[in-house]
Amino acid sequence: MNVEISRTTDVLNTAETTKTNVVSNMASNIADKFVTTIRLLEGERWWGGTVIDGIYEPFGKQVFTRDLSEWTQKLREVPEASNQSSPLLISTCGRYVWCKEPFKFTFADRTLSIEHSSSLTFTKVGDKLSDAYKYACNKYFPPSGRSIPADLIDKPQYNTWIEMPYAPTQNKVENYARQILELGMPSGIIMIDDKWSPDYGDWTFDISRFPKPRKMIDSLHEQGFRVMLWLVPFISPDSENFRYLEKENLLLRSVNGETAIRRWWNGLSAVLDLSHPKAISWLEEKLDALRQIGVDGFKFDGGDFYECHNDDISYESMTSAEFCERWAKFGLRYSYNEFRACWKMGGQPLAQRLRDKPQSWGVEGLQSLIPEIIAQGLIGHAFTCPDMIGGGEIESMQNANSIDQDFFIRYAQIAALCPMMQFSTLPHRVLDKEHMKALICAIRTREAHLPTIQKFALNAANTGEPIVRPMSYHYDHCEDIIDQFLLGDRIIVAPALHKYQKQRSVYIPDGSWESDDKIIFDGPTTIIVDTPLDRIPIFTKKM
């Protein structure tokens, strides 16, 4: 066991002195665990771990525990879908922690305690959050030099999920595209979501729903759209593909040697063995056939930790985390991609979105967007998307009469200044004229700032730095600010986050800043600004 420690005075107990034996949360065997306890510095705050904890970040203010190797369970024992995560913690005092494998960490009593079973690195490399991030990024997940395709950023994305859940058809998709253009909205990326295929694992168009898929795709291309398809690493039991894959030993097997059948949000399925070269070749052949008829790329859903257990039998030894990582590595074959779950893989040209959000103003909904987008960037995922505008949780979006129009607009305003902006609900179905006008205003604001977003997307590809950043990435005395963010290094975005909010406070750091309504503010100071329905408060630092 190796533990690299750069400043032993900050470490209360190193791993060698606190070795213990504990039961693994993910497997039935006993595994060696080590504990490293680090004393927090005055005012020190930490980011990292998993994106779903963004609402609790930065860490260090209160007691918090997270085990990066475990998953939680919802009612009826349906596993909860996870989000992006990484064995990385970085601090506002220029320190970082990195481990090859998932670890458990606890903040309490001005200490950070880490339980780990593989080598841990704890180092101070500077004095700022940006110092820690850039050092860790270059050492452990260096930038690939490649960005995602420009039109994933330059154009809106339109996902069919809310308008036609589990029942997309060729006619519905064509009408969906037509209505987008009739609304005066730009063409973009159309993602055809769940059940475009006959079954899970049968990755061909269901001809009863899509009788002429090539014609549909050609027509969408002519209108300026790209086309992406949803898929998961699941195989429906008793299907033709299941029988073939099981016979060829290309499916995960549980510890008893039988084909593993896992419960996920749509039911029960077998799981493709992502460690097997023949399984990868089989899937690649299916997707390449779709590319031959014009499909541009794929939304890679699933890939969560719970789909592969640490004691599963696979072609190559594979942990739950490695299963998730392999799913993303497979997706790199396709430049048009999207992921909701990911382990490591920072610095890669992968489009990452937040998990489905409910129609809620609270920390589970709207107020989680900024801290979670920041959290994505600080584990290496620069190309981020805050889920579908209005929320992608299907139950809260089906009834147009129950949709909060103000919520929809405030959601869109946050997305407008993020790297990617994705719709699913057709705006005219849920918005009146006043709110539709506010939405168009948000889209126009994005268009005005698109050169900046494009600039920092290119920078992210070359340096690995986030596009959306916390205030503390560049400025002092704002470690705990998570209700506004930086776009790059010189633009502050401070959207309204509360129902009926007419004003909000904004922290202005050192320097001279010009607001979107042409008022100059000299920092550091806290100001109160108006937030009418059609405004996104934006402040640009003057040279």
Side-chain angles (χ1 to χ4, degrees):
M1 169 60 61
N2 295 317
V3 180
E4 301 174 26
I5 304 292
S6 66
R7 291 183 59 186
T8 56
T9 56
D10 295 330
V11 180
L12 302 180
N13 298 296
T14 63
E16 288 86 354
T17 63
T18 58
K19 180 175 178 180
T20 58
N21 287 319
V22 299
V23 178
S24 169
N25 288 324
M26 297 290 290
S28 59
N29 63 297
I30 301 297
D32 285 339
K33 291 282 183 176
F34 299 81
V35 178
T36 298
T37 304
I38 300 166
R39 180 186 294 111
L40 299 188
L41 303 178
E42 185 67 30
E44 186 174 28
R45 299 289 184 262
W46 292 75
W47 292 83
T50 183
V51 170
I52 60 173
D53 291 333
I55 58 172
Y56 305 108
E57 298 181 54
F59 304 122
K61 297 175 292 183
Q62 58 191 13
V63 175
F64 183 84
T65 297
R66 167 62 69 187
D67 187 340
L68 296 176
S69 69
E70 72 178 10
W71 64 83
T72 58
Q73 300 286 324
K74 288 183 177 179
L75 296 176
R76 299 188 305 276
E77 296 302 310
V78 179
E80 180 181 3
S82 61
N83 219 160
Q84 300 85 2
S85 56
S86 178
L88 171 72
L89 295 172
I90 56 175
S91 101
T92 55
C93 293
R95 308 197 294 177
Y96 78 86
V97 169
W98 173 267
C99 189
K100 293 180 179 180
E101 304 297 333
F103 56 78
K104 180 179 180 180
F105 64 91
T106 299
F107 286 89
D109 301 323
R110 295 178 58 82
T111 64
L112 164 59
S113 298
I114 305 169
E115 295 182 17
H116 52 102
S117 56
S118 60
S119 297
L120 180 86
T121 299
F122 163 58
T123 308
K124 181 174 175 62
V125 294
D127 299 312
K128 298 180 179 180
L129 181 66
S130 56
D131 295 332
Y133 176 80
K134 287 187 282 189
Y135 186 92
C137 168
N138 286 316
K139 186 168 184 178
Y140 301 109
F141 45 95
S144 68
R146 294 185 294 137
S147 179
I148 59 175
D151 47 8
L152 280 174
I153 295 173
D154 297 350
K155 296 183 177 182
Q157 301 167 11
Y158 304 97
N159 189 297
T160 65
W161 173 239
I162 298 296
E163 295 297 326
M164 52 196 92
Y166 301 115
T169 67
Q170 181 169 334
N171 183 58
K172 288 179 181 179
V173 171
E174 290 171 341
N175 285 338
Y176 186 67
R178 175 181 54 78
Q179 291 179 75
I180 288 167
L181 298 179
E182 288 178 351
L183 284 171
M185 299 177 70
S187 60
I189 313 297
I190 284 190
M191 297 183 182
I192 304 176
D193 216 282
D194 197 353
K195 293 306 295 179
W196 56 271
S197 61
D199 225 335
Y200 303 120
D202 185 353
W203 303 121
T204 59
F205 276 99
D206 183 343
I207 61 172
S208 68
R209 297 171 181 253
F210 295 86
K212 297 181 179 180
R214 182 189 288 270
K215 180 180 178 182
M216 175 193 70
I217 294 167
D218 288 345
S219 175
L220 291 172
H221 284 166
E222 290 171 4
Q223 296 173 76
F225 292 99
R226 294 278 189 174
V227 180
M228 294 175 64
L229 301 177
W230 175 97
L231 74 148
V232 286
F234 298 126
I235 310 296
S236 294
D238 298 329
S239 65
E240 181 178 348
N241 284 296
F242 173 87
R243 289 189 289 274
Y244 167 77
L245 294 167
E246 186 179 48
K247 180 181 177 181
E248 297 295 319
N249 290 320
L250 304 183
L251 300 174
L252 291 181
R253 287 176 289 155
S254 59
V255 68
N256 63 9
E258 297 294 326
T259 298
I261 301 297
R262 297 281 142 81
R263 179 174 290 281
W264 56 298
W265 61 88
N266 280 346
L268 296 164
S269 294
V271 185
L272 199 63
D273 182 355
L274 298 180
S275 75
H276 202 306
K278 286 185 64 176
I280 294 298
S281 296
W282 175 86
L283 182 57
E284 188 173 33
E285 180 182 337
K286 300 294 183 185
L287 301 193
D288 286 351
L290 292 164
R291 295 277 289 116
Q292 291 297 314
I293 64 171
V295 173
D296 296 288
F298 303 94
K299 171 182 174 178
F300 293 89
D301 211 345
D304 299 279
F305 278 26
Y306 68 80
E307 296 160 19
C308 172
H309 298 179
N310 281 357
D311 59 3
D312 279 346
I313 300 170
S314 52
Y315 180 77
E316 294 179 1
S317 178
M318 178 170 57
T319 65
S320 298
E322 289 166 344
F323 171 83
C324 184
E325 186 177 5
R326 285 175 182 268
W327 187 227
K329 286 181 176 178
F330 176 82
L332 281 173
R333 290 168 164 78
Y334 307 93
S335 59
Y336 287 86
N337 62 66
E338 184 194 83
F339 285 84
R340 172 196 45 75
C342 204
W343 172 250
K344 296 183 180 177
M345 296 300 290
Q348 297 300 314
L350 298 172
Q352 304 278 358
R353 72 167 178 89
L354 299 183
R355 64 175 178 168
D356 294 358
K357 296 294 182 182
Q359 187 183 187
S360 166
W361 290 91
V363 294
E364 71 279 8
L366 192 75
Q367 291 175 37
S368 72
L369 299 184
I370 293 176
E372 289 189 15
I373 285 288
I374 290 172
Q376 282 181 317
L378 291 180
I379 60 170
H381 299 303
F383 310 113
T384 57
C385 180
D387 193 28
M388 306 162 194
I389 290 169
E393 190 175 87
I394 190 69
E395 291 82 4
S396 64
M397 295 298 293
Q398 283 297 285
N399 184 357
N401 295 325
S402 68
I403 290 176
D404 187 329
Q405 296 187 61
D406 282 10
F407 176 84
F408 193 95
I409 295 303
R410 297 308 192 188
Y411 201 122
Q413 290 172 344
I414 296 171
L417 277 302
C418 286
M420 293 180 284
M421 186 180 196
Q422 185 174 128
F423 292 91
S424 187
T425 302
L426 284 170
H428 77 284
R429 184 172 69 84
V430 299
L431 301 181
D432 58 25
K433 289 183 178 180
E434 177 191 9
H435 289 82
M436 193 68 200
K437 182 179 178 181
L439 176 62
I440 296 301
C441 184
I443 293 174
R444 297 290 178 260
T445 299
R446 177 179 180 80
E447 291 171 348
H449 287 85
L450 197 54
T452 298
I453 297 173
Q454 294 166 331
K455 170 188 173 182
F456 284 101
L458 180 61
N459 179 72
N462 292 321
T463 70
E465 287 192 277
I467 301 169
V468 170
R469 304 170 186 177
M471 298 292 296
S472 58
Y473 195 85
H474 292 288
Y475 300 100
D476 297 329
H477 311 302
C478 46
E479 289 81 5
D480 294 328
I481 296 176
I482 58 171
D483 63 349
Q484 60 188 68
F485 63 88
L486 287 167
L487 179 58
D489 59 345
R490 307 181 69 85
I491 295 177
I492 297 172
V493 183
L497 300 174
H498 300 277
K499 191 176 181 69
Y500 306 133
Q501 187 173 17
K502 301 301 182 185
Q503 292 183 320
R504 65 155 292 167
S505 64
V506 181
Y507 178 76
I508 303 295
D510 287 333
S512 185
W513 299 76
E514 183 176 4
S515 67
D516 55 291
D517 54 2
K518 307 303 180 184
I519 300 174
I520 304 298
F521 297 94
D522 292 322
T525 185
T526 298
I527 62 174
I528 302 297
V529 299
D530 293 330
T531 55
L533 185 64
D534 61 352
R535 184 187 183 192
I536 312 171
I538 298 172
F539 303 83
T540 304
K541 190 174 186 180
K542 297 180 71 66
M543 300 296 290

